[in-house]
Amino acid sequence: MAKESSHQARAAGVHRVVVIVDENSNPFELGCATEVFGLRRPEIGRDLYDFSLCSPEPRTAMRDGFFTLTGVAGLEASDTADTLIVPNRPDVEVPRRPAVLDTIRRAHARGARLIGFCSGAFTLAEAGVLDGRRATAHWQWADAFRARFPAVRLESDVLFVDDGDILTAAGSAAALDLGLHVVRRDHGAEIANAVSRRLVFAAHRDGGQRQFVERPMPDLPDESLAPVLAWAQERLDSPLTVSDLAARAAVSPATLHRRFRAQLGTTPLTWLTGERLALACQLIERGESRFEVVARRSGLGTATNLRSLMRRETGITPSAYKRRFGPEGS
């Protein structure tokens, strides 16, 4: 594999993402990182990230010897990373290389953003950067993680945790959820939606959703939530309630709650609020500067409610979101 990604010359000002690949690393999460951060985006018209890999060894055998990476840059390539994605491996009980842990500590000390996919939380915790912090990991390793790293505030039943400069994702597919969340945080909802369309993947699943659902495939076709979700998405500006969704699905609110939990791992109200907030972000990105109009058209009601939800979910105000992601010069 070439030392650099397709971005042979790093563009000035482009956020640099570096993935550390270590012996027995999981190929799937490496593929997720490459898909989200490493591919060129001609449909967007610009590069979102400068992406590269590094490794402590010239030859790195991936999980179970599936294949070997060669020609990858050394760990020094991570010293200029804006975001560092750490190794995740199935052998969580095996200590990570001291050189890898030192690299993570240096990155954290200089303010780089750290990301751990799946068992990558073990790598971050072993480096000592998660003490006192929130994190998640795959549910099957939750007990082992807590026993080994009691100082970490593990949230074992969520898809991912965004704790500011350290982000962790649970099982393998949640790496895509977290990756898209990072793109949304860095570039806004419109760009994240464009990347998700390229991936043919859900544009937004809230990090607080459960890691697994009770019944991934409904027993009966008429129990699918898809029709009522599509119906609601076309009417987000209307005063929809959970009762309205239940009536549309021809079930009781209690039954609707059970189906949302079983099929989506969340509640109807949380889903509805997330969809409305995503629409509000898109309206701001498209140039709507009147926040009372944004709130009304997205179904959030008032500008005050819009400000409260955006600050809670994105960490910034609508005005700051507009300056960061709105049309140039808005």
Side-chain angles (χ1 to χ4, degrees):
M1 175 173 287
K3 281 191 176 182
E4 296 293 335
S5 68
S6 58
H7 309 190
Q8 292 297 325
R10 183 168 17 137
V14 176
H15 188 104
R16 188 169 192 228
V17 177
V18 177
V19 181
I20 300 178
V21 185
D22 200 4
E23 184 179 8
N24 214 29
S25 287
N26 287 319
F28 182 83
E29 286 79 359
L30 175 59
C32 290
T34 303
E35 283 283 340
V36 174
F37 302 110
L39 297 189
R40 300 192 74 107
R41 305 288 175 187
E43 68 275 18
I44 294 174
R46 60 186 172 90
D47 292 336
L48 302 180
Y49 300 96
D50 177 80
F51 179 84
S52 62
L53 310 179
C54 69
S55 176
E57 297 290 343
R59 297 175 59 87
T60 304
M62 300 295 288
R63 179 175 181 174
D64 297 331
F66 288 147
F67 58 88
T68 299
L69 293 182
T70 60
V72 177
L75 290 176
E76 66 278 1
S78 68
D79 288 340
T80 56
D82 301 300
T83 292
L84 183 65
I85 302 177
V86 307
N88 68 299
R89 307 177 341 198
D91 49 349
V92 295
E93 72 286 350
V94 176
R96 272 43 176 173
R97 298 174 193 255
V100 170
L101 300 179
D102 287 343
T103 298
I104 294 168
R105 295 182 189 113
R106 286 199 309 274
H108 182 58
R110 62 179 172 77
R113 180 168 61 190
L114 303 177
I115 294 179
F117 293 148
C118 196
S119 61
F122 282 81
T123 307
L124 291 169
E126 191 172 345
V129 299
L130 279 181
D131 287 356
R133 304 287 295 265
R134 297 167 52 238
T136 191
H138 196 287
W139 59 267
Q140 71 176 353
W141 290 316
D143 290 342
F145 187 97
R146 287 193 178 98
R148 189 171 166 194
F149 305 110
V152 181
R153 295 157 53 195
L154 186 72
E155 300 179 11
S156 57
D157 195 26
V158 299
L159 291 178
F160 61 83
V161 168
D162 181 343
D163 201 38
D165 60 339
I166 303 181
L167 301 92
T168 48
S172 297
L176 288 174
D177 290 299
L178 178 54
L180 288 170
H181 170 78
V182 170
V183 174
R184 187 178 304 106
R185 200 174 102 170
D186 292 345
H187 299 284
E190 290 278 19
I191 297 296
N193 288 342
V195 175
S196 72
R197 284 194 297 272
R198 175 89 170 261
L199 291 169
V200 196
F201 191 75
H204 177 65
R205 290 200 298 169
D206 184 77
Q209 289 184 212
R210 297 174 61 189
Q211 287 190 23
F212 57 90
V213 296
E214 297 168 9
R215 189 186 60 212
M217 294 296 291
D219 294 335
L220 300 173
D222 61 2
E223 288 191 3
S224 170
L225 288 172
V228 72
L229 298 183
W231 177 82
Q233 286 170 328
E234 295 175 355
R235 296 165 175 81
L236 293 175
D237 59 341
S238 301
L240 293 176
T241 65
V242 174
S243 294
D244 294 328
L245 298 180
R248 179 68 184 182
V251 297
S252 69
T255 297
L256 187 73
H257 270 274
R258 286 195 296 271
R259 291 185 182 176
F260 263 78
R261 282 293 189 188
Q263 297 180 35
L264 298 181
T266 191
T267 67
L269 183 58
T270 298
W271 176 85
L272 189 59
T273 300
E275 290 295 309
R276 284 172 164 161
L277 187 59
L279 176 57
C281 290
Q282 291 177 16
L283 291 171
I284 294 171
E285 290 175 34
R286 292 169 184 171
E288 180 54 72
S289 59
R290 298 164 296 174
F291 296 139
E292 67 276 8
V293 174
V294 171
R296 184 176 68 250
R297 289 178 60 188
S298 62
L300 292 176
T302 66
T304 299
N305 194 39
L306 170 68
R307 292 187 185 96
S308 175
L309 285 171
M310 283 201 69
R311 182 179 289 277
R312 187 186 75 189
E313 298 298 325
T314 69
I316 59 177
T317 64
S319 296
Y321 194 92
K322 175 190 170 186
R323 288 193 297 270
R324 184 171 178 182
F325 299 121
E328 188 173 354
S330 66

